[in-house]
Amino acid sequence: MMPGPFELIIILVIVLLLFGGKRLKNIGGDLGGAIKGFKKSMKESEKIDDKDSVIDAKVVKEEDKV
């Protein structure tokens, strides 16, 4: 069961009191940087996988010629 808008406001106020505004800003920035880094590494991984597929295809073609 999802909390309603009133419960969400209470949760946000409690989090703000526990961590403070500056610390929440730092946590948000760190989380955003982590997500950005994860997306970048996923794109690089896809590029590497594509290159490996091309290399594997060339090896298979060369083996068929022999």
Side-chain angles (χ1 to χ4, degrees):
M1 181 154 77
M2 292 289 295
F6 185 68
E7 288 88 2
L8 289 176
I9 292 172
I10 291 174
I11 291 169
L12 290 174
V13 168
I14 291 172
V15 169
L16 185 62
L17 289 174
L18 287 175
F19 294 107
K22 186 175 182 181
R23 193 165 189 198
L24 282 179
K25 183 180 175 185
N26 291 341
I27 291 172
D30 292 342
L31 183 62
I35 291 171
K36 197 180 286 187
F38 178 75
K39 287 182 179 180
K40 182 179 178 185
S41 67
M42 290 301 293
K43 287 181 182 177
E44 289 176 359
S45 174
E46 288 176 2
K47 289 178 184 177
I48 291 171
D49 289 342
D50 290 342
K51 288 179 183 177
D52 288 343
S53 298
V54 171
I55 292 169
D56 291 341
K58 287 180 181 178
V59 170
V60 169
K61 285 182 181 179
E62 289 177 6
E63 288 176 358
D64 290 340
K65 291 178 182 179
V66 175

CSV table of all heavy atoms in Angstrom, one decimal:
chain,number,residue,atom,x,y,z
A,1,MET,N,0.8,-1.2,0.0
A,1,MET,CA,0.0,0.0,0.0
A,1,MET,C,0.9,1.2,0.0
A,1,MET,O,1.8,1.4,0.8
A,1,MET,CB,-0.9,0.0,1.2
A,1,MET,CG,-1.8,1.1,1.3
A,1,MET,SD,-3.3,0.9,2.2
A,1,MET,CE,-2.9,1.0,3.9
A,2,MET,N,0.6,2.1,-0.9
A,2,MET,CA,1.5,3.4,-1.1
A,2,MET,C,1.1,4.4,0.0
A,2,MET,O,-0.1,4.6,0.3
A,2,MET,CB,1.2,4.0,-2.5
A,2,MET,CG,1.8,3.1,-3.6
A,2,MET,SD,3.6,3.1,-3.6
A,2,MET,CE,3.9,4.8,-4.0
A,3,PRO,N,2.1,5.1,0.5
A,3,PRO,CA,1.7,6.2,1.5
A,3,PRO,C,1.1,7.3,0.7
A,3,PRO,O,1.5,7.6,-0.4
A,3,PRO,CB,3.1,6.5,2.1
A,3,PRO,CG,4.1,6.0,1.1
A,3,PRO,CD,3.5,4.9,0.4
A,4,GLY,N,0.2,8.0,1.4
A,4,GLY,CA,-0.5,9.2,0.8
A,4,GLY,C,0.4,10.4,0.9
A,4,GLY,O,1.6,10.4,1.4
A,5,PRO,N,0.0,11.5,0.3
A,5,PRO,CA,0.8,12.7,0.3
A,5,PRO,C,1.1,13.2,1.7
A,5,PRO,O,2.2,13.8,1.9
A,5,PRO,CB,-0.1,13.7,-0.5
A,5,PRO,CG,-1.4,13.1,-0.6
A,5,PRO,CD,-1.3,11.7,-0.3
A,6,PHE,N,0.2,13.1,2.7
A,6,PHE,CA,0.5,13.6,4.0
A,6,PHE,C,1.6,12.8,4.6
A,6,PHE,O,2.5,13.3,5.3
A,6,PHE,CB,-0.8,13.5,4.9
A,6,PHE,CG,-0.6,14.0,6.2
A,6,PHE,CD1,-0.4,15.4,6.4
A,6,PHE,CD2,-0.6,13.2,7.4
A,6,PHE,CE1,-0.3,15.9,7.7
A,6,PHE,CE2,-0.4,13.7,8.6
A,6,PHE,CZ,-0.3,15.1,8.8
A,7,GLU,N,1.6,11.4,4.4
A,7,GLU,CA,2.7,10.6,5.0
A,7,GLU,C,4.0,10.9,4.3
A,7,GLU,O,5.0,10.9,5.0
A,7,GLU,CB,2.3,9.1,4.8
A,7,GLU,CG,1.2,8.6,5.7
A,7,GLU,CD,-0.2,8.8,5.1
A,7,GLU,OE1,-0.3,9.3,3.9
A,7,GLU,OE2,-1.2,8.5,5.8
A,8,LEU,N,4.0,11.2,3.0
A,8,LEU,CA,5.2,11.5,2.3
A,8,LEU,C,5.8,12.8,2.9
A,8,LEU,O,7.1,12.9,3.0
A,8,LEU,CB,5.0,11.6,0.8
A,8,LEU,CG,4.7,10.3,0.1
A,8,LEU,CD1,4.4,10.6,-1.4
A,8,LEU,CD2,5.9,9.4,0.2
A,9,ILE,N,5.0,13.8,3.1
A,9,ILE,CA,5.5,15.0,3.7
A,9,ILE,C,6.1,14.8,5.1
A,9,ILE,O,7.2,15.3,5.4
A,9,ILE,CB,4.3,16.1,3.8
A,9,ILE,CG1,3.9,16.5,2.4
A,9,ILE,CG2,4.7,17.3,4.6
A,9,ILE,CD1,2.7,17.3,2.3
A,10,ILE,N,5.5,14.0,5.9
A,10,ILE,CA,6.0,13.7,7.2
A,10,ILE,C,7.4,13.0,7.1
A,10,ILE,O,8.3,13.3,7.8
A,10,ILE,CB,5.0,12.8,8.0
A,10,ILE,CG1,3.8,13.6,8.4
A,10,ILE,CG2,5.7,12.3,9.3
A,10,ILE,CD1,2.7,12.8,9.1
A,11,ILE,N,7.5,12.0,6.2
A,11,ILE,CA,8.8,11.3,6.0
A,11,ILE,C,9.8,12.3,5.5
A,11,ILE,O,11.0,12.3,6.0
A,11,ILE,CB,8.6,10.2,5.0
A,11,ILE,CG1,7.7,9.1,5.6
A,11,ILE,CG2,9.9,9.6,4.5
A,11,ILE,CD1,7.2,8.0,4.6
A,12,LEU,N,9.5,13.2,4.6
A,12,LEU,CA,10.5,14.2,4.1
A,12,LEU,C,11.0,15.1,5.2
A,12,LEU,O,12.1,15.4,5.3
A,12,LEU,CB,9.9,15.0,2.9
A,12,LEU,CG,9.7,14.2,1.6
A,12,LEU,CD1,9.0,15.0,0.6
A,12,LEU,CD2,11.1,13.7,1.1
A,13,VAL,N,10.0,15.5,6.1
A,13,VAL,CA,10.4,16.4,7.2
A,13,VAL,C,11.3,15.7,8.1
A,13,VAL,O,12.3,16.3,8.6
A,13,VAL,CB,9.1,16.9,7.9
A,13,VAL,CG1,9.5,17.6,9.2
A,13,VAL,CG2,8.4,17.9,7.0
A,14,ILE,N,11.0,14.4,8.4
A,14,ILE,CA,11.9,13.7,9.4
A,14,ILE,C,13.3,13.5,8.8
A,14,ILE,O,14.3,13.7,9.5
A,14,ILE,CB,11.3,12.3,9.7
A,14,ILE,CG1,10.0,12.5,10.5
A,14,ILE,CG2,12.2,11.4,10.4
A,14,ILE,CD1,9.2,11.3,10.8
A,15,VAL,N,13.4,13.2,7.5
A,15,VAL,CA,14.7,13.0,6.8
A,15,VAL,C,15.4,14.3,6.8
A,15,VAL,O,16.6,14.3,7.1
A,15,VAL,CB,14.5,12.5,5.4
A,15,VAL,CG1,15.8,12.5,4.6
A,15,VAL,CG2,14.0,11.0,5.4
A,16,LEU,N,14.8,15.4,6.6
A,16,LEU,CA,15.4,16.7,6.6
A,16,LEU,C,15.9,17.1,8.0
A,16,LEU,O,17.0,17.6,8.1
A,16,LEU,CB,14.4,17.8,6.1
A,16,LEU,CG,15.0,19.2,6.0
A,16,LEU,CD1,16.1,19.2,4.9
A,16,LEU,CD2,13.9,20.2,5.6
A,17,LEU,N,15.2,16.7,9.0
A,17,LEU,CA,15.6,17.0,10.4
A,17,LEU,C,16.8,16.1,10.7
A,17,LEU,O,17.8,16.5,11.4
A,17,LEU,CB,14.5,16.7,11.4
A,17,LEU,CG,13.4,17.8,11.3
A,17,LEU,CD1,12.2,17.4,12.3
A,17,LEU,CD2,13.9,19.2,11.8
A,18,LEU,N,16.8,14.9,10.3
A,18,LEU,CA,17.9,13.9,10.6
A,18,LEU,C,19.2,14.3,9.9
A,18,LEU,O,20.3,14.3,10.5
A,18,LEU,CB,17.5,12.5,10.2
A,18,LEU,CG,16.5,11.8,11.1
A,18,LEU,CD1,16.2,10.5,10.6
A,18,LEU,CD2,17.0,11.7,12.6
A,19,PHE,N,19.1,14.6,8.6
A,19,PHE,CA,20.4,14.8,7.8
A,19,PHE,C,20.7,16.3,7.6
A,19,PHE,O,21.9,16.6,7.4
A,19,PHE,CB,20.2,14.1,6.5
A,19,PHE,CG,20.2,12.6,6.6
A,19,PHE,CD1,19.0,12.0,6.4
A,19,PHE,CD2,21.3,11.9,6.9
A,19,PHE,CE1,19.0,10.6,6.5
A,19,PHE,CE2,21.3,10.5,7.0
A,19,PHE,CZ,20.1,9.9,6.8
A,20,GLY,N,19.8,17.2,7.6
A,20,GLY,CA,20.0,18.6,7.3
A,20,GLY,C,20.1,18.8,5.8
A,20,GLY,O,20.3,18.0,5.0
A,21,GLY,N,19.8,20.1,5.5
A,21,GLY,CA,19.7,20.5,4.0
A,21,GLY,C,21.0,20.3,3.3
A,21,GLY,O,21.1,19.8,2.2
A,22,LYS,N,22.2,20.7,3.9
A,22,LYS,CA,23.4,20.7,3.2
A,22,LYS,C,23.8,19.2,2.9
A,22,LYS,O,24.3,18.9,1.8
A,22,LYS,CB,24.5,21.4,4.0
A,22,LYS,CG,25.8,21.5,3.3
A,22,LYS,CD,26.8,22.3,4.1
A,22,LYS,CE,28.1,22.4,3.4
A,22,LYS,NZ,29.1,23.2,4.2
A,23,ARG,N,23.6,18.4,3.9
A,23,ARG,CA,24.0,17.0,3.8
A,23,ARG,C,23.1,16.3,2.7
A,23,ARG,O,23.6,15.4,2.0
A,23,ARG,CB,23.9,16.3,5.1
A,23,ARG,CG,24.6,14.9,5.1
A,23,ARG,CD,24.8,14.5,6.6
A,23,ARG,NE,25.6,13.3,6.6
A,23,ARG,CZ,25.6,12.5,7.6
A,23,ARG,NH1,24.9,12.8,8.7
A,23,ARG,NH2,26.4,11.4,7.6
A,24,LEU,N,21.8,16.6,2.7
A,24,LEU,CA,21.0,16.0,1.7
A,24,LEU,C,21.4,16.5,0.3
A,24,LEU,O,21.3,15.7,-0.6
A,24,LEU,CB,19.5,16.4,2.0
A,24,LEU,CG,18.8,15.7,3.1
A,24,LEU,CD1,17.4,16.2,3.2
A,24,LEU,CD2,18.7,14.2,2.8
A,25,LYS,N,21.8,17.7,0.2
A,25,LYS,CA,22.3,18.2,-1.1
A,25,LYS,C,23.5,17.4,-1.6
A,25,LYS,O,23.6,17.0,-2.7
A,25,LYS,CB,22.6,19.7,-1.0
A,25,LYS,CG,23.1,20.3,-2.3
A,25,LYS,CD,23.4,21.8,-2.2
A,25,LYS,CE,23.9,22.3,-3.5
A,25,LYS,NZ,24.3,23.7,-3.3
A,26,ASN,N,24.4,17.1,-0.7
A,26,ASN,CA,25.6,16.4,-1.0
A,26,ASN,C,25.3,14.9,-1.3
A,26,ASN,O,25.8,14.4,-2.3
A,26,ASN,CB,26.6,16.4,0.2
A,26,ASN,CG,27.2,17.7,0.4
A,26,ASN,OD1,27.2,18.6,-0.5
A,26,ASN,ND2,27.7,17.9,1.6
A,27,ILE,N,24.3,14.3,-0.6
A,27,ILE,CA,23.9,13.0,-0.9
A,27,ILE,C,23.3,12.9,-2.3
A,27,ILE,O,23.5,12.0,-3.1
A,27,ILE,CB,22.9,12.5,0.2
A,27,ILE,CG1,23.7,12.3,1.5
A,27,ILE,CG2,22.3,11.1,-0.2
A,27,ILE,CD1,22.8,12.0,2.7
A,28,GLY,N,22.4,13.9,-2.6
A,28,GLY,CA,21.8,13.9,-3.9
A,28,GLY,C,22.8,14.1,-5.0
A,28,GLY,O,22.7,13.4,-6.1
A,29,GLY,N,23.8,14.9,-4.8
A,29,GLY,CA,24.9,15.1,-5.8
A,29,GLY,C,25.7,13.8,-6.0
A,29,GLY,O,26.0,13.5,-7.2
A,30,ASP,N,26.0,13.2,-4.9
A,30,ASP,CA,26.8,11.9,-5.0
A,30,ASP,C,26.0,10.8,-5.7
A,30,ASP,O,26.5,10.1,-6.5
A,30,ASP,CB,27.2,11.4,-3.6
A,30,ASP,CG,28.2,12.4,-3.0
A,30,ASP,OD1,28.8,13.2,-3.7
A,30,ASP,OD2,28.3,12.3,-1.7
A,31,LEU,N,24.7,10.8,-5.4
A,31,LEU,CA,23.8,9.8,-6.0
A,31,LEU,C,23.7,10.0,-7.5
A,31,LEU,O,23.8,9.1,-8.3
A,31,LEU,CB,22.4,9.8,-5.4
A,31,LEU,CG,21.4,8.7,-5.9
A,31,LEU,CD1,22.0,7.3,-5.6
A,31,LEU,CD2,20.1,8.9,-5.2
A,32,GLY,N,23.5,11.3,-7.9
A,32,GLY,CA,23.5,11.7,-9.3
A,32,GLY,C,24.8,11.3,-10.1
A,32,GLY,O,24.7,10.8,-11.2
A,33,GLY,N,25.9,11.6,-9.4
A,33,GLY,CA,27.2,11.3,-10.0
A,33,GLY,C,27.4,9.7,-10.2
A,33,GLY,O,27.9,9.3,-11.2
A,34,ALA,N,26.9,9.0,-9.2
A,34,ALA,CA,27.0,7.5,-9.3
A,34,ALA,C,26.1,7.0,-10.4
A,34,ALA,O,26.5,6.1,-11.2
A,34,ALA,CB,26.6,6.9,-8.0
A,35,ILE,N,24.9,7.5,-10.6
A,35,ILE,CA,24.0,7.1,-11.7
A,35,ILE,C,24.6,7.5,-13.0
A,35,ILE,O,24.6,6.7,-14.0
A,35,ILE,CB,22.6,7.7,-11.5
A,35,ILE,CG1,21.9,7.1,-10.3
A,35,ILE,CG2,21.8,7.5,-12.7
A,35,ILE,CD1,20.7,7.8,-9.9
A,36,LYS,N,25.2,8.7,-13.1
A,36,LYS,CA,25.8,9.1,-14.4
A,36,LYS,C,27.0,8.2,-14.7
A,36,LYS,O,27.2,7.8,-15.9
A,36,LYS,CB,26.3,10.5,-14.2
A,36,LYS,CG,26.6,11.2,-15.5
A,36,LYS,CD,27.1,12.7,-15.3
A,36,LYS,CE,25.9,13.6,-14.9
A,36,LYS,NZ,26.3,15.0,-14.8
A,37,GLY,N,27.8,7.8,-13.7
A,37,GLY,CA,29.0,7.0,-14.0
A,37,GLY,C,28.5,5.6,-14.4
A,37,GLY,O,29.1,4.9,-15.2
A,38,PHE,N,27.4,5.1,-13.8
A,38,PHE,CA,26.9,3.8,-14.1
A,38,PHE,C,26.4,3.7,-15.5
A,38,PHE,O,26.7,2.8,-16.3
A,38,PHE,CB,25.8,3.4,-13.1
A,38,PHE,CG,25.1,2.1,-13.5
A,38,PHE,CD1,25.8,0.9,-13.1
A,38,PHE,CD2,23.9,2.0,-14.0
A,38,PHE,CE1,25.2,-0.3,-13.4
A,38,PHE,CE2,23.3,0.8,-14.3
A,38,PHE,CZ,23.9,-0.4,-14.0
A,39,LYS,N,25.7,4.8,-16.0
A,39,LYS,CA,25.2,4.8,-17.3
A,39,LYS,C,26.3,4.9,-18.3
A,39,LYS,O,26.3,4.3,-19.4
A,39,LYS,CB,24.3,6.0,-17.5
A,39,LYS,CG,22.9,5.9,-16.9
A,39,LYS,CD,22.1,7.1,-17.1
A,39,LYS,CE,20.7,7.0,-16.5
A,39,LYS,NZ,19.8,8.1,-16.8
A,40,LYS,N,27.4,5.7,-18.0
A,40,LYS,CA,28.5,5.8,-18.9
A,40,LYS,C,29.2,4.4,-19.0
A,40,LYS,O,29.6,4.0,-20.1
A,40,LYS,CB,29.5,6.8,-18.3
A,40,LYS,CG,30.7,7.1,-19.2
A,40,LYS,CD,31.6,8.1,-18.5
A,40,LYS,CE,32.9,8.3,-19.4
A,40,LYS,NZ,33.8,9.2,-18.8
A,41,SER,N,29.4,3.7,-17.9
A,41,SER,CA,30.1,2.4,-18.0
A,41,SER,C,29.2,1.4,-18.8
A,41,SER,O,29.8,0.5,-19.4
A,41,SER,CB,30.4,1.9,-16.6
A,41,SER,OG,29.2,1.6,-15.9
A,42,MET,N,27.9,1.5,-18.7
A,42,MET,CA,27.0,0.6,-19.4
A,42,MET,C,27.2,0.9,-20.9
A,42,MET,O,27.2,-0.1,-21.7
A,42,MET,CB,25.6,0.8,-19.0
A,42,MET,CG,25.3,0.2,-17.6
A,42,MET,SD,25.6,-1.5,-17.4
A,42,MET,CE,24.4,-2.2,-18.5
A,43,LYS,N,27.3,2.1,-21.3
A,43,LYS,CA,27.4,2.5,-22.7
A,43,LYS,C,28.8,2.0,-23.2
A,43,LYS,O,28.9,1.4,-24.3
A,43,LYS,CB,27.3,4.0,-23.0
A,43,LYS,CG,25.9,4.5,-22.8
A,43,LYS,CD,25.9,6.0,-23.1
A,43,LYS,CE,24.4,6.5,-22.9
A,43,LYS,NZ,24.4,7.9,-23.1
A,44,GLU,N,29.8,2.1,-22.4
A,44,GLU,CA,31.2,1.7,-22.8
A,44,GLU,C,31.2,0.1,-22.9
A,44,GLU,O,31.8,-0.4,-23.8
A,44,GLU,CB,32.2,2.1,-21.8
A,44,GLU,CG,32.5,3.6,-21.9
A,44,GLU,CD,33.4,4.1,-20.8
A,44,GLU,OE1,33.9,3.3,-20.0
A,44,GLU,OE2,33.7,5.3,-20.8
A,45,SER,N,30.5,-0.5,-22.0
A,45,SER,CA,30.4,-2.0,-22.0
A,45,SER,C,29.7,-2.5,-23.3
A,45,SER,O,30.1,-3.4,-23.9
A,45,SER,CB,29.7,-2.5,-20.8
A,45,SER,OG,29.5,-3.9,-20.9
A,46,GLU,N,28.7,-1.8,-23.7
A,46,GLU,CA,28.0,-2.1,-25.0
A,46,GLU,C,28.9,-1.9,-26.2
A,46,GLU,O,28.9,-2.8,-27.1
A,46,GLU,CB,26.7,-1.3,-25.2
A,46,GLU,CG,25.6,-1.6,-24.2
A,46,GLU,CD,24.4,-0.7,-24.3
A,46,GLU,OE1,24.4,0.2,-25.2
A,46,GLU,OE2,23.4,-0.9,-23.6
A,47,LYS,N,29.7,-0.9,-26.2
A,47,LYS,CA,30.6,-0.6,-27.3
A,47,LYS,C,31.7,-1.8,-27.3
A,47,LYS,O,32.0,-2.3,-28.4
A,47,LYS,CB,31.3,0.7,-27.1
A,47,LYS,CG,30.4,1.9,-27.4
A,47,LYS,CD,31.2,3.2,-27.2
A,47,LYS,CE,30.2,4.4,-27.3
A,47,LYS,NZ,30.9,5.6,-27.0
A,48,ILE,N,32.2,-2.2,-26.2
A,48,ILE,CA,33.2,-3.2,-26.1
A,48,ILE,C,32.5,-4.5,-26.6
A,48,ILE,O,33.1,-5.3,-27.4
A,48,ILE,CB,33.7,-3.4,-24.7
A,48,ILE,CG1,34.6,-2.2,-24.4
A,48,ILE,CG2,34.5,-4.7,-24.6
A,48,ILE,CD1,35.0,-2.1,-22.9
A,49,ASP,N,31.3,-4.8,-26.2
A,49,ASP,CA,30.6,-6.1,-26.6
A,49,ASP,C,30.4,-6.1,-28.1
A,49,ASP,O,30.6,-7.1,-28.8
A,49,ASP,CB,29.3,-6.2,-25.9
A,49,ASP,CG,29.4,-6.5,-24.4
A,49,ASP,OD1,30.5,-7.0,-24.0
A,49,ASP,OD2,28.4,-6.3,-23.7
A,50,ASP,N,30.1,-4.9,-28.7
A,50,ASP,CA,29.9,-4.8,-30.2
A,50,ASP,C,31.2,-5.1,-30.9
A,50,ASP,O,31.3,-5.8,-31.9
A,50,ASP,CB,29.4,-3.5,-30.6
A,50,ASP,CG,27.9,-3.3,-30.1
A,50,ASP,OD1,27.3,-4.3,-29.8
A,50,ASP,OD2,27.5,-2.1,-30.1
A,51,LYS,N,32.3,-4.6,-30.4
A,51,LYS,CA,33.6,-4.8,-31.0
A,51,LYS,C,34.0,-6.3,-30.9
A,51,LYS,O,34.6,-6.8,-31.8
A,51,LYS,CB,34.7,-3.9,-30.3
A,51,LYS,CG,34.6,-2.4,-30.7
A,51,LYS,CD,35.6,-1.6,-30.0
A,51,LYS,CE,35.5,-0.2,-30.3
A,51,LYS,NZ,36.5,0.7,-29.5
A,52,ASP,N,33.8,-6.9,-29.7
A,52,ASP,CA,34.1,-8.3,-29.6
A,52,ASP,C,33.3,-9.2,-30.5
A,52,ASP,O,33.8,-10.1,-31.1
A,52,ASP,CB,33.8,-8.7,-28.1
A,52,ASP,CG,34.8,-8.2,-27.1
A,52,ASP,OD1,35.9,-7.8,-27.6
A,52,ASP,OD2,34.5,-8.2,-25.9
A,53,SER,N,32.0,-8.8,-30.8
A,53,SER,CA,31.2,-9.5,-31.7
A,53,SER,C,31.8,-9.4,-33.1
A,53,SER,O,31.8,-10.4,-33.8
A,53,SER,CB,29.7,-9.0,-31.7
A,53,SER,OG,29.2,-9.1,-30.4
A,54,VAL,N,32.2,-8.3,-33.5
A,54,VAL,CA,32.8,-8.1,-34.8
A,54,VAL,C,34.1,-8.9,-34.9
A,54,VAL,O,34.3,-9.6,-35.9
A,54,VAL,CB,33.1,-6.6,-35.1
A,54,VAL,CG1,33.9,-6.4,-36.4
A,54,VAL,CG2,31.8,-5.8,-35.2
A,55,ILE,N,34.9,-8.9,-33.9
A,55,ILE,CA,36.1,-9.7,-33.9
A,55,ILE,C,35.8,-11.2,-34.0
A,55,ILE,O,36.4,-11.9,-34.8
A,55,ILE,CB,37.0,-9.4,-32.7
A,55,ILE,CG1,37.6,-8.0,-32.8
A,55,ILE,CG2,38.2,-10.4,-32.6
A,55,ILE,CD1,38.2,-7.5,-31.5
A,56,ASP,N,34.8,-11.7,-33.2
A,56,ASP,CA,34.4,-13.1,-33.2
A,56,ASP,C,33.9,-13.5,-34.6
A,56,ASP,O,34.2,-14.5,-35.1
A,56,ASP,CB,33.4,-13.4,-32.2
A,56,ASP,CG,33.9,-13.3,-30.8
A,56,ASP,OD1,35.1,-13.4,-30.6
A,56,ASP,OD2,33.1,-13.1,-29.8
A,57,ALA,N,33.1,-12.6,-35.3
A,57,ALA,CA,32.6,-12.9,-36.6
A,57,ALA,C,33.7,-13.0,-37.6
A,57,ALA,O,33.7,-13.9,-38.5
A,57,ALA,CB,31.6,-11.8,-37.0
A,58,LYS,N,34.7,-12.2,-37.5
A,58,LYS,CA,35.9,-12.2,-38.4
A,58,LYS,C,36.6,-13.6,-38.2
A,58,LYS,O,37.0,-14.2,-39.2
A,58,LYS,CB,36.8,-11.1,-38.2
A,58,LYS,CG,36.3,-9.8,-38.7
A,58,LYS,CD,37.3,-8.6,-38.5
A,58,LYS,CE,36.7,-7.3,-39.0
A,58,LYS,NZ,37.7,-6.2,-38.7
A,59,VAL,N,36.8,-14.0,-37.0
A,59,VAL,CA,37.5,-15.2,-36.7
A,59,VAL,C,36.7,-16.4,-37.3
A,59,VAL,O,37.3,-17.3,-37.9
A,59,VAL,CB,37.7,-15.4,-35.2
A,59,VAL,CG1,38.2,-16.8,-34.9
A,59,VAL,CG2,38.7,-14.4,-34.7
A,60,VAL,N,35.4,-16.4,-37.1
A,60,VAL,CA,34.6,-17.5,-37.6
A,60,VAL,C,34.7,-17.5,-39.2
A,60,VAL,O,34.8,-18.6,-39.8
A,60,VAL,CB,33.1,-17.3,-37.2
A,60,VAL,CG1,32.2,-18.3,-37.9
A,60,VAL,CG2,33.0,-17.5,-35.7
A,61,LYS,N,34.6,-16.4,-39.8
A,61,LYS,CA,34.7,-16.3,-41.3
A,61,LYS,C,36.0,-16.9,-41.8
A,61,LYS,O,36.1,-17.6,-42.7
A,61,LYS,CB,34.5,-14.9,-41.8
A,61,LYS,CG,33.1,-14.4,-41.8
A,61,LYS,CD,32.9,-13.1,-42.3
A,61,LYS,CE,31.5,-12.6,-42.3
A,61,LYS,NZ,31.4,-11.2,-42.8
A,62,GLU,N,37.1,-16.5,-41.1
A,62,GLU,CA,38.4,-17.0,-41.5
A,62,GLU,C,38.6,-18.5,-41.3
A,62,GLU,O,39.2,-19.2,-42.0
A,62,GLU,CB,39.5,-16.3,-40.7
A,62,GLU,CG,39.7,-14.8,-41.1
A,62,GLU,CD,40.7,-14.1,-40.2
A,62,GLU,OE1,41.4,-14.7,-39.4
A,62,GLU,OE2,40.8,-12.9,-40.4
A,63,GLU,N,37.9,-19.1,-40.2
A,63,GLU,CA,38.0,-20.5,-40.0
A,63,GLU,C,37.2,-21.2,-41.1
A,63,GLU,O,37.5,-22.4,-41.4
A,63,GLU,CB,37.4,-20.8,-38.6
A,63,GLU,CG,38.3,-20.4,-37.5
A,63,GLU,CD,37.7,-20.6,-36.1
A,63,GLU,OE1,36.5,-21.1,-36.0
A,63,GLU,OE2,38.4,-20.4,-35.1
A,64,ASP,N,36.1,-20.6,-41.6
A,64,ASP,CA,35.3,-21.2,-42.6
A,64,ASP,C,36.1,-21.3,-43.9
A,64,ASP,O,35.9,-22.3,-44.7
A,64,ASP,CB,34.0,-20.5,-42.9
A,64,ASP,CG,33.0,-20.6,-41.7
A,64,ASP,OD1,33.2,-21.5,-40.9
A,64,ASP,OD2,32.1,-19.7,-41.6
A,65,LYS,N,37.0,-20.4,-44.1
A,65,LYS,CA,37.8,-20.4,-45.4
A,65,LYS,C,38.8,-21.5,-45.4
A,65,LYS,O,39.2,-22.0,-46.5
A,65,LYS,CB,38.5,-19.0,-45.5
A,65,LYS,CG,37.6,-17.9,-45.8
A,65,LYS,CD,38.4,-16.6,-45.9
A,65,LYS,CE,37.4,-15.4,-46.2
A,65,LYS,NZ,38.2,-14.2,-46.3
A,66,VAL,N,39.3,-21.9,-44.3
A,66,VAL,CA,40.3,-22.9,-44.2
A,66,VAL,C,39.8,-24.3,-44.5
A,66,VAL,O,38.9,-24.8,-44.6
A,66,VAL,CB,41.0,-23.0,-42.8
A,66,VAL,CG1,42.0,-24.1,-42.6
A,66,VAL,CG2,41.6,-21.6,-42.5
